[in-house]
Amino acid sequence: MKRFVLILTVLLAMGTFWVVAANGAELTVEEIIAKVDENLYYTSSYSEMEMEIRSGRRTMVKEMRSWAEGKNALVEFTNRADQGTKYLRLDDELWMFFPDAEDLVKISGHMLRQGFMGSDVSYEDMLEAEKLADVYRFTLVGEEEIDGRPTYVIEAQAPDGAEVTYAKRKIWVDQERFVSLREEMYAVSGRLLKTASTSRVEEISGRFFPMEFVMEDVLKKNSATVVRVKEIKFDVEIPEGTFSLQQLMR
Amino acid sequence: MSTVKVWPALLVATIFILSLSGSAGANVFGSLELTTTTANPQGEWGTDLSALALVRIREWSDSFRWDAEGRAIIPGEDEQTAQLELSRLSLLYYGATWDLSLGKQPITWGVGQSWPEVESPLNIYPENVWGANLRIPTGPLGFWNMAAAEVDEKTLFALRKQDYYEGLRWSVLGALDSERMIIGFDGKIDVGFELYSDVAVHLRPQQELQLLVGADYQLGPFVAVSEVRFDGLAAEERQKHVFQGLSYSLDDFTSLAAGLDLNLDDRSQLWTLGVETLLTNELTMQAGASFPRGGSASEYGLMQQRGEQIYTLQVSIDF
């Protein structure tokens, strides 16, 4: 009987190990990234967000709502100080509108590397709309634990000459939910530029989505931006004409 | 109080009231600015305190956007009368294929960065003006403007086309009133730095050319802006100014700025220094100084002789 129990225990343990392996080690790095992309990318969305910009002991809070479809997005600020200020992304280009002066500004070139509304999130970061799998080559370099959650550690390298914001990324992917819990972003030179840490993940419409994350620009001292998603809806119907300068100036 | 056009104000206010029925209510916000100015006119140093209260009301509905802005200027000791000004009262109607804005409003054209020292030649409606501005889109990025607004007690009509092509933002316009006729072109493109230009050709009452060329470049936390304005042909009051601006971001909330306006004719200069910091979400502090320099008969030399060096400290509170 003891031998039977021992054999059964071993078989159960082996079975468990095999299930874990099927969910984890048997996935290729491309499959892991594909699952991350499935969570992050959507046909269209409507969201309401808050951005808390911290620098030293000072804090600035911006509130906004946005509509997004493919590579197009319209962001409107709703906090008092910036009320009515809007951004429009059309493919790889970005415009701003200031209703107080009825002033339309195209953000281009060097301005794209500036922080969005003074934050650690740059305009270039906002323009990123491609799937990771379409831009980078990936290598699974290990596994680590973050806040008690097992993660895959993946390095992503952009091909030489690729037009990307960050030449290299290091991503810690939650093994169960396939969401990035931490990310490091590097320049071509190998210099660490930014880090992002996810502090809250929720399941929405069948996908796991980062609802709160902290972005830090390593080049700035004592600076961090916390982005909180208050509400998000996927695959929403967006009226025709939303992504246009006419709509931006309304 | 500045002149308020009665009938357009009534029209705009009526439509606003009607639009409120379908909306959650107007958004009211604004700011209070307190400024101390230290200057030495006629060689005697003195300090003045003034205040500006600005109130904005903005409301959106599915069909309209309504804007109103009022200012109360409480001057320093030298002036006795407080001024109230209705600086904006406009209604933007969203048509199916066009948008129409009526009332007192900014109509901001031209690509210059609107430094006071170097005016953009195509900014033909220089301040908030009473008028109408019809905008007809021709695609996601292009549109026609037809505007009519009061400038210098005359109605200035203008037709303008703006669009984008291969990264170049361009526009052409024609404008005329009972005395003037202007045609103009502008363009802005990023070539590693931003390069832009305005050209205005005045055909009436006399031929006159106004040209502005500018560049805007950022390197790390530094942003540099240069603009040169040239008025040629038969311009009675020719302007040849070069403006150089440099700003530096200490952090997300604090920036330093320096500027130089150089009069190319008499070589006189106006130097400016400034710092701005956001103390809280609602509180901003700015400090600045300006120093005119030049020969005895020059534009800024005369200011220097009059002792018009100015130091300012301003605190703004947003609400």
Side-chain angles (χ1 to χ4, degrees):
Chain A
M1 183 63 178
K2 281 187 181 177
R3 181 181 290 183
F4 173 75
V5 169
L6 177 62
I7 292 170
L8 184 61
T9 303
V10 169
L11 285 174
L12 283 171
M14 286 172 64
T16 304
F17 176 78
W18 184 85
V19 167
V20 167
N23 287 340
E26 289 199 9
L27 284 176
T28 64
V29 68
E30 287 77 19
E31 287 169 335
I32 296 169
I33 293 298
K35 285 180 176 290
V36 172
D37 281 338
E38 276 175 25
N39 277 328
L40 274 184
Y41 291 90
Y42 37 79
T43 307
S44 64
S45 75
Y46 168 78
S47 61
E48 294 178 10
M49 292 182 285
E50 178 183 279
M51 191 163 64
E52 184 181 318
I53 303 163
R54 300 170 184 167
S55 181
R57 285 179 291 181
R58 286 182 287 183
T59 301
M60 188 163 50
V61 178
K62 308 283 183 186
E63 295 174 337
M64 67 204 83
R65 53 182 184 165
S66 76
W67 297 260
E69 188 173 62
K71 293 185 77 173
N72 301 331
L74 180 68
V75 178
E76 179 183 347
F77 283 84
T78 53
N79 56 289
R80 275 188 180 275
D82 304 300
Q83 196 163 92
T85 300
K86 295 181 189 174
Y87 284 81
L88 171 69
R89 185 184 73 203
L90 279 179
D91 288 336
D92 293 328
E93 296 184 317
L94 199 61
W95 284 266
M96 279 178 70
F97 178 66
F98 301 98
D100 295 343
E102 294 290 324
D103 195 13
L104 181 67
V105 176
K106 184 172 184 288
I107 300 173
S108 56
H110 60 272
M111 291 176 70
L112 289 172
R113 290 184 285 276
Q114 291 184 44
F116 173 61
M117 300 295 275
S119 72
D120 294 63
V121 181
S122 69
Y123 293 109
E124 277 184 324
D125 292 329
M126 288 180 60
L127 283 174
E128 287 189 324
E130 293 86 2
K131 290 185 178 181
L132 292 170
D134 293 340
V135 180
Y136 293 94
R137 292 189 291 257
F138 303 94
T139 308
L140 180 65
V141 298
E143 296 180 19
E144 289 180 16
E145 211 170 82
I146 292 182
D147 295 331
R149 301 197 69 90
T151 67
Y152 301 110
V153 184
I154 295 172
E155 286 186 356
Q157 183 73 49
D160 289 344
E163 290 186 3
V164 292
T165 307
Y166 305 106
K168 178 185 163 186
R169 296 175 186 252
K170 192 171 179 182
I171 311 168
W172 285 255
V173 177
D174 186 311
Q175 291 187 12
E176 180 186 342
R177 299 176 297 182
F178 296 95
V179 172
S180 166
L181 295 185
R182 178 177 167 79
E183 192 167 334
E184 292 175 353
M185 290 149 268
Y186 295 84
V188 171
S189 62
R191 185 176 187 182
L192 177 64
L193 297 176
K194 292 189 182 178
T195 65
S197 303
T198 301
S199 47
R200 184 164 60 96
V201 177
E202 287 183 15
E203 186 175 359
I204 298 173
S205 304
R207 69 176 82 204
F208 288 100
F209 198 81
M211 299 294 280
E212 182 171 318
F213 64 90
V214 181
M215 180 83 96
E216 293 180 66
D217 187 331
V218 172
L219 303 180
K220 295 183 189 176
K221 284 185 186 176
N222 301 320
S223 175
T225 298
V226 182
V227 178
R228 298 183 185 93
V229 180
K230 293 179 173 180
E231 179 187 351
I232 187 163
K233 297 176 187 172
F234 299 107
D235 302 322
V236 296
E237 192 171 330
I238 296 179
E240 191 177 340
T242 296
F243 306 112
S244 64
L245 292 185
Q246 181 187 24
Q247 187 63 40
L248 181 66
M249 291 190 282
R250 285 181 168 178
Chain B
M1 187 165 179
S2 68
T3 303
V4 177
K5 307 293 182 183
V6 176
W7 68 262
L10 281 177
L11 175 67
V12 170
T14 302
I15 296 173
F16 164 64
I17 292 167
L18 291 175
S19 72
L20 278 183
S21 63
S23 71
N27 300 292
V28 182
F29 54 102
S31 64
L32 175 65
E33 291 176 4
L34 302 170
T35 306
T36 61
T37 303
T38 302
N40 63 338
Q42 313 304 328
E44 290 186 21
W45 286 97
T47 298
D48 209 27
L49 177 65
S50 61
L52 166 67
L54 187 148
V55 177
R56 290 194 176 103
I57 305 174
R58 180 169 294 139
E59 177 56 25
W60 288 271
S61 72
D62 290 340
S63 306
F64 298 100
R65 189 185 92 215
W66 187 90
D67 286 274
E69 180 183 294
R71 296 168 186 244
I73 303 168
I74 303 167
E77 292 177 1
D78 292 342
E79 298 181 43
Q80 302 302 315
T81 310
Q83 299 169 28
L84 297 177
E85 180 185 352
L86 178 67
S87 47
R88 185 170 184 176
L89 181 67
S90 66
L91 185 74
L92 174 64
Y93 171 74
Y94 313 153
T97 55
W98 43 268
D99 292 341
L100 176 62
S101 180
L102 297 172
K104 190 171 187 182
Q105 59 188 293
I107 303 177
T108 309
W109 294 346
V111 292
Q113 298 204 22
S114 301
W115 304 106
E117 297 83 2
V118 185
E119 292 179 17
S120 184
L122 288 194
N123 202 16
I124 59 175
Y125 299 109
E127 298 178 7
N128 288 17
V129 290
W130 286 101
N133 184 9
L134 177 68
R135 190 166 55 226
I136 302 172
T138 56
L141 302 179
F143 45 84
W144 285 97
N145 278 113
M146 281 173 260
E150 188 172 319
V151 179
D152 298 330
E153 299 182 349
K154 291 183 286 291
T155 302
L156 182 63
F157 297 92
L159 178 66
R160 175 174 174 266
K161 173 73 166 75
Q162 177 179 310
D163 216 321
Y164 287 83
Y165 177 74
E166 300 288 328
L168 169 69
R169 171 248 194 250
W170 61 267
S171 79
V172 294
L173 76 79
L176 63 91
D177 61 23
S178 58
E179 290 183 9
R180 294 185 293 166
M181 182 184 291
I182 306 166
I183 57 174
F185 319 87
D186 70 38
K188 181 185 269 194
I189 191 168
D190 191 283
V191 292
F193 58 92
E194 203 151 67
L195 189 60
Y196 50 91
S197 179
D198 268 11
V199 178
V201 180
H202 292 247
L203 301 174
R204 211 176 61 192
Q206 58 192 6
Q207 293 184 355
E208 183 180 323
L209 173 71
Q210 295 171 335
L211 169 69
L212 177 144
V213 179
D216 182 340
Y217 181 74
Q218 181 182 9
L219 182 62
F222 290 96
V223 176
V225 175
S226 295
E227 289 188 350
V228 57
R229 158 99 181 232
F230 173 77
D231 290 357
L233 297 178
E236 285 187 6
E237 291 184 21
R238 294 170 59 166
Q239 286 191 55
K240 273 167 48 178
H241 279 255
V242 173
F243 178 80
Q244 303 275 357
L246 182 68
S247 65
Y248 173 72
S249 297
L250 282 173
D251 56 34
D252 291 332
F253 303 138
T254 304
S255 62
L256 306 174
L260 165 64
D261 177 47
L262 172 66
N263 184 316
L264 289 175
D265 285 322
D266 60 27
R267 307 291 184 193
S268 64
Q269 315 115 46
L270 179 68
W271 295 85
T272 55
L273 296 172
V275 57
E276 178 176 313
T277 187
L278 192 74
L279 298 172
T280 68
N281 236 18
E282 295 81 19
L283 194 62
T284 305
M285 188 165 70
Q286 292 176 316
S290 61
F291 309 95
R293 291 287 183 270
S296 56
S298 66
E299 178 185 1
Y300 293 124
L302 287 171
M303 286 176 68
Q304 183 183 11
Q305 286 173 16
R306 290 195 294 263
E308 291 179 6
Q309 287 180 163
I310 301 173
Y311 300 89
T312 59
L313 179 65
Q314 184 180 85
V315 173
S316 301
I317 305 163
D318 294 330
F319 57 86

PDB file of all heavy atoms in Angstrom, chain A residues 49-65:
ATOM      1  N   MET A  49      -8.188  58.150 -18.384  1.00  0.00           N
ATOM      2  CA  MET A  49      -6.938  57.911 -17.660  1.00  0.00           C
ATOM      3  C   MET A  49      -6.550  59.113 -16.812  1.00  0.00           C
ATOM      4  O   MET A  49      -7.010  60.233 -17.041  1.00  0.00           O
ATOM      5  CB  MET A  49      -5.799  57.652 -18.655  1.00  0.00           C
ATOM      6  CG  MET A  49      -5.909  56.377 -19.412  1.00  0.00           C
ATOM      7  SD  MET A  49      -4.506  56.157 -20.509  1.00  0.00           S
ATOM      8  CE  MET A  49      -4.929  57.319 -21.784  1.00  0.00           C
ATOM      9  N   GLU A  50      -5.674  58.822 -15.885  1.00  0.00           N
ATOM     10  CA  GLU A  50      -5.084  59.876 -15.068  1.00  0.00           C
ATOM     11  C   GLU A  50      -3.574  59.692 -15.125  1.00  0.00           C
ATOM     12  O   GLU A  50      -3.068  58.571 -15.094  1.00  0.00           O
ATOM     13  CB  GLU A  50      -5.577  59.722 -13.631  1.00  0.00           C
ATOM     14  CG  GLU A  50      -4.999  60.718 -12.658  1.00  0.00           C
ATOM     15  CD  GLU A  50      -5.505  60.427 -11.255  1.00  0.00           C
ATOM     16  OE1 GLU A  50      -6.637  60.827 -10.930  1.00  0.00           O
ATOM     17  OE2 GLU A  50      -4.758  59.783 -10.491  1.00  0.00           O
ATOM     18  N   MET A  51      -2.864  60.816 -15.228  1.00  0.00           N
ATOM     19  CA  MET A  51      -1.411  60.752 -15.292  1.00  0.00           C
ATOM     20  C   MET A  51      -0.863  61.621 -14.165  1.00  0.00           C
ATOM     21  O   MET A  51      -1.130  62.822 -14.125  1.00  0.00           O
ATOM     22  CB  MET A  51      -0.935  61.268 -16.657  1.00  0.00           C
ATOM     23  CG  MET A  51       0.512  61.025 -16.953  1.00  0.00           C
ATOM     24  SD  MET A  51       0.901  61.205 -18.715  1.00  0.00           S
ATOM     25  CE  MET A  51       0.550  62.913 -18.992  1.00  0.00           C
ATOM     26  N   GLU A  52      -0.122  61.017 -13.269  1.00  0.00           N
ATOM     27  CA  GLU A  52       0.450  61.750 -12.141  1.00  0.00           C
ATOM     28  C   GLU A  52       1.946  61.908 -12.412  1.00  0.00           C
ATOM     29  O   GLU A  52       2.689  60.939 -12.462  1.00  0.00           O
ATOM     30  CB  GLU A  52       0.207  60.970 -10.851  1.00  0.00           C
ATOM     31  CG  GLU A  52       0.669  61.691  -9.603  1.00  0.00           C
ATOM     32  CD  GLU A  52       0.418  60.841  -8.362  1.00  0.00           C
ATOM     33  OE1 GLU A  52      -0.654  60.221  -8.268  1.00  0.00           O
ATOM     34  OE2 GLU A  52       1.320  60.780  -7.514  1.00  0.00           O
ATOM     35  N   ILE A  53       2.360  63.163 -12.582  1.00  0.00           N
ATOM     36  CA  ILE A  53       3.751  63.446 -12.928  1.00  0.00           C
ATOM     37  C   ILE A  53       4.465  63.899 -11.661  1.00  0.00           C
ATOM     38  O   ILE A  53       4.085  64.890 -11.043  1.00  0.00           O
ATOM     39  CB  ILE A  53       3.818  64.539 -14.002  1.00  0.00           C
ATOM     40  CG1 ILE A  53       3.017  64.102 -15.239  1.00  0.00           C
ATOM     41  CG2 ILE A  53       5.263  64.835 -14.395  1.00  0.00           C
ATOM     42  CD1 ILE A  53       2.674  65.221 -16.188  1.00  0.00           C
ATOM     43  N   ARG A  54       5.475  63.154 -11.272  1.00  0.00           N
ATOM     44  CA  ARG A  54       6.202  63.455 -10.045  1.00  0.00           C
ATOM     45  C   ARG A  54       7.620  63.902 -10.380  1.00  0.00           C
ATOM     46  O   ARG A  54       8.307  63.274 -11.179  1.00  0.00           O
ATOM     47  CB  ARG A  54       6.282  62.222  -9.148  1.00  0.00           C
ATOM     48  CG  ARG A  54       4.954  61.665  -8.709  1.00  0.00           C
ATOM     49  CD  ARG A  54       5.136  60.329  -8.052  1.00  0.00           C
ATOM     50  NE  ARG A  54       3.875  59.720  -7.691  1.00  0.00           N
ATOM     51  CZ  ARG A  54       3.728  58.456  -7.329  1.00  0.00           C
ATOM     52  NH1 ARG A  54       4.788  57.676  -7.270  1.00  0.00           N
ATOM     53  NH2 ARG A  54       2.543  57.972  -7.020  1.00  0.00           N
ATOM     54  N   SER A  55       8.034  64.988  -9.756  1.00  0.00           N
ATOM     55  CA  SER A  55       9.409  65.438  -9.912  1.00  0.00           C
ATOM     56  C   SER A  55       9.854  65.978  -8.572  1.00  0.00           C
ATOM     57  O   SER A  55       9.346  66.998  -8.117  1.00  0.00           O
ATOM     58  CB  SER A  55       9.500  66.529 -10.985  1.00  0.00           C
ATOM     59  OG  SER A  55      10.840  66.947 -11.163  1.00  0.00           O
ATOM     60  N   GLY A  56      10.792  65.282  -7.931  1.00  0.00           N
ATOM     61  CA  GLY A  56      11.169  65.671  -6.591  1.00  0.00           C
ATOM     62  C   GLY A  56       9.971  65.528  -5.674  1.00  0.00           C
ATOM     63  O   GLY A  56       9.307  64.495  -5.635  1.00  0.00           O
ATOM     64  N   ARG A  57       9.650  66.623  -4.985  1.00  0.00           N
ATOM     65  CA  ARG A  57       8.492  66.572  -4.068  1.00  0.00           C
ATOM     66  C   ARG A  57       7.243  67.151  -4.715  1.00  0.00           C
ATOM     67  O   ARG A  57       6.207  67.243  -4.070  1.00  0.00           O
ATOM     68  CB  ARG A  57       8.824  67.336  -2.785  1.00  0.00           C
ATOM     69  CG  ARG A  57       9.762  66.567  -1.854  1.00  0.00           C
ATOM     70  CD  ARG A  57      10.093  67.341  -0.603  1.00  0.00           C
ATOM     71  NE  ARG A  57      10.932  68.491  -0.897  1.00  0.00           N
ATOM     72  CZ  ARG A  57      11.380  69.316   0.046  1.00  0.00           C
ATOM     73  NH1 ARG A  57      11.045  69.151   1.299  1.00  0.00           N
ATOM     74  NH2 ARG A  57      12.142  70.331  -0.271  1.00  0.00           N
ATOM     75  N   ARG A  58       7.340  67.552  -5.970  1.00  0.00           N
ATOM     76  CA  ARG A  58       6.187  68.169  -6.623  1.00  0.00           C
ATOM     77  C   ARG A  58       5.442  67.170  -7.498  1.00  0.00           C
ATOM     78  O   ARG A  58       6.025  66.267  -8.073  1.00  0.00           O
ATOM     79  CB  ARG A  58       6.636  69.367  -7.445  1.00  0.00           C
ATOM     80  CG  ARG A  58       6.998  70.568  -6.588  1.00  0.00           C
ATOM     81  CD  ARG A  58       7.384  71.742  -7.420  1.00  0.00           C
ATOM     82  NE  ARG A  58       8.689  71.566  -8.026  1.00  0.00           N
ATOM     83  CZ  ARG A  58       9.281  72.499  -8.756  1.00  0.00           C
ATOM     84  NH1 ARG A  58       8.667  73.640  -8.983  1.00  0.00           N
ATOM     85  NH2 ARG A  58      10.469  72.300  -9.280  1.00  0.00           N
ATOM     86  N   THR A  59       4.157  67.370  -7.569  1.00  0.00           N
ATOM     87  CA  THR A  59       3.299  66.465  -8.341  1.00  0.00           C
ATOM     88  C   THR A  59       2.319  67.269  -9.179  1.00  0.00           C
ATOM     89  O   THR A  59       1.786  68.268  -8.729  1.00  0.00           O
ATOM     90  CB  THR A  59       2.502  65.550  -7.391  1.00  0.00           C
ATOM     91  OG1 THR A  59       3.410  64.808  -6.600  1.00  0.00           O
ATOM     92  CG2 THR A  59       1.631  64.584  -8.172  1.00  0.00           C
ATOM     93  N   MET A  60       2.118  66.805 -10.391  1.00  0.00           N
ATOM     94  CA  MET A  60       1.144  67.439 -11.285  1.00  0.00           C
ATOM     95  C   MET A  60       0.233  66.329 -11.790  1.00  0.00           C
ATOM     96  O   MET A  60       0.703  65.241 -12.122  1.00  0.00           O
ATOM     97  CB  MET A  60       1.921  68.061 -12.456  1.00  0.00           C
ATOM     98  CG  MET A  60       1.135  68.916 -13.382  1.00  0.00           C
ATOM     99  SD  MET A  60       2.183  69.996 -14.422  1.00  0.00           S
ATOM    100  CE  MET A  60       3.379  68.882 -15.109  1.00  0.00           C
ATOM    101  N   VAL A  61      -1.063  66.573 -11.826  1.00  0.00           N
ATOM    102  CA  VAL A  61      -2.003  65.531 -12.245  1.00  0.00           C
ATOM    103  C   VAL A  61      -2.726  65.978 -13.513  1.00  0.00           C
ATOM    104  O   VAL A  61      -3.257  67.074 -13.578  1.00  0.00           O
ATOM    105  CB  VAL A  61      -3.034  65.234 -11.137  1.00  0.00           C
ATOM    106  CG1 VAL A  61      -4.035  64.183 -11.618  1.00  0.00           C
ATOM    107  CG2 VAL A  61      -2.342  64.754  -9.882  1.00  0.00           C
ATOM    108  N   LYS A  62      -2.728  65.123 -14.507  1.00  0.00           N
ATOM    109  CA  LYS A  62      -3.456  65.365 -15.750  1.00  0.00           C
ATOM    110  C   LYS A  62      -4.524  64.277 -15.901  1.00  0.00           C
ATOM    111  O   LYS A  62      -4.268  63.112 -15.616  1.00  0.00           O
ATOM    112  CB  LYS A  62      -2.523  65.280 -16.965  1.00  0.00           C
ATOM    113  CG  LYS A  62      -1.276  66.144 -16.876  1.00  0.00           C
ATOM    114  CD  LYS A  62      -1.594  67.575 -17.155  1.00  0.00           C
ATOM    115  CE  LYS A  62      -0.325  68.412 -17.138  1.00  0.00           C
ATOM    116  NZ  LYS A  62      -0.617  69.851 -17.278  1.00  0.00           N
ATOM    117  N   GLU A  63      -5.680  64.692 -16.360  1.00  0.00           N
ATOM    118  CA  GLU A  63      -6.743  63.720 -16.617  1.00  0.00           C
ATOM    119  C   GLU A  63      -7.128  63.801 -18.084  1.00  0.00           C
ATOM    120  O   GLU A  63      -7.183  64.896 -18.652  1.00  0.00           O
ATOM    121  CB  GLU A  63      -7.956  64.007 -15.723  1.00  0.00           C
ATOM    122  CG  GLU A  63      -7.643  63.820 -14.248  1.00  0.00           C
ATOM    123  CD  GLU A  63      -8.801  64.238 -13.363  1.00  0.00           C
ATOM    124  OE1 GLU A  63      -9.642  65.039 -13.811  1.00  0.00           O
ATOM    125  OE2 GLU A  63      -8.860  63.784 -12.218  1.00  0.00           O
ATOM    126  N   MET A  64      -7.418  62.669 -18.670  1.00  0.00           N
ATOM    127  CA  MET A  64      -7.705  62.678 -20.107  1.00  0.00           C
ATOM    128  C   MET A  64      -8.608  61.513 -20.481  1.00  0.00           C
ATOM    129  O   MET A  64      -8.762  60.558 -19.725  1.00  0.00           O
ATOM    130  CB  MET A  64      -6.398  62.582 -20.899  1.00  0.00           C
ATOM    131  CG  MET A  64      -5.677  61.246 -20.758  1.00  0.00           C
ATOM    132  SD  MET A  64      -3.906  61.334 -21.070  1.00  0.00           S
ATOM    133  CE  MET A  64      -3.332  61.893 -19.478  1.00  0.00           C
ATOM    134  N   ARG A  65      -9.194  61.668 -21.646  1.00  0.00           N
ATOM    135  CA  ARG A  65      -9.924  60.546 -22.241  1.00  0.00           C
ATOM    136  C   ARG A  65      -9.436  60.402 -23.673  1.00  0.00           C
ATOM    137  O   ARG A  65      -8.997  61.388 -24.287  1.00  0.00           O
ATOM    138  CB  ARG A  65     -11.430  60.769 -22.188  1.00  0.00           C
ATOM    139  CG  ARG A  65     -11.891  62.079 -22.773  1.00  0.00           C
ATOM    140  CD  ARG A  65     -13.377  62.227 -22.622  1.00  0.00           C
ATOM    141  NE  ARG A  65     -13.851  63.439 -23.259  1.00  0.00           N
ATOM    142  CZ  ARG A  65     -15.117  63.698 -23.530  1.00  0.00           C
ATOM    143  NH1 ARG A  65     -16.053  62.815 -23.199  1.00  0.00           N
ATOM    144  NH2 ARG A  65     -15.468  64.822 -24.118  1.00  0.00           N
TER     145      ARG A  65
END
